[in-house]
Amino acid sequence: MTGLVKSSADLDPRRRRILFRCWHRGIREMDLMLGQFCEAHISELSDQELDELEHIMEEEDNDLVRYITGADPVPAHLQTPLFERIAALRPDFSPVTGEDTTAK
């Protein structure tokens, strides 16, 4: 998956803004991690969870990647059920090759 698949037209402005920000993080790994999580769950998150997601999104991308991949320990302020759900998502980071793009 390389970008937004579902339409955001049925989302309220706050959820649309969060979804956009999750897919446009600055580094591709975080686009995939947060973007895929958000796309799958944005419509079901409570207002409190949206607040928490916005706080998570304030973290530096490189730090988040290290926390999510286990390269660095997760700081106490991120040890929450929502962050665990995000970290549990394992996007496919396999590189696209010429073989992937040729029709069979």
Side-chain angles (χ1 to χ4, degrees):
M1 182 181 301
T2 59
L4 188 63
V5 175
K6 291 193 267 184
S7 170
S8 62
D10 60 336
L11 298 175
D12 63 76
R14 181 183 187 194
R15 291 173 198 276
R16 258 194 309 253
R17 184 178 60 250
I18 291 171
L19 180 60
F20 180 87
R21 287 179 55 210
C22 283
W23 274 117
H24 297 88
R25 294 292 304 172
I27 64 171
R28 193 64 185 147
E29 293 84 357
M30 284 313 304
D31 291 351
L32 292 169
M33 288 180 193
L34 284 179
Q36 288 182 25
F37 174 83
C38 192
E39 186 170 338
H41 302 287
I42 191 72
S43 61
E44 67 195 41
L45 295 177
S46 68
D47 287 338
Q48 181 180 359
E49 289 172 319
L50 292 174
D51 292 342
E52 185 179 340
L53 179 57
E54 288 177 318
H55 288 293
I56 291 169
M57 292 168 57
E58 291 173 5
E59 297 286 326
E60 291 292 325
D61 286 339
N62 289 320
D63 292 339
L64 283 173
V65 168
R66 288 193 303 272
Y67 303 149
I68 289 173
T69 60
D72 286 348
V74 178
H77 70 279
L78 292 177
Q79 293 178 6
T80 65
L82 181 62
F83 188 81
E84 289 174 11
R85 286 173 59 197
I86 293 168
L89 179 68
R90 295 290 184 237
D92 180 10
F93 291 129
S94 301
V96 176
T97 66
E99 293 172 10
D100 295 333
T101 60
T102 56
K104 293 183 179 184

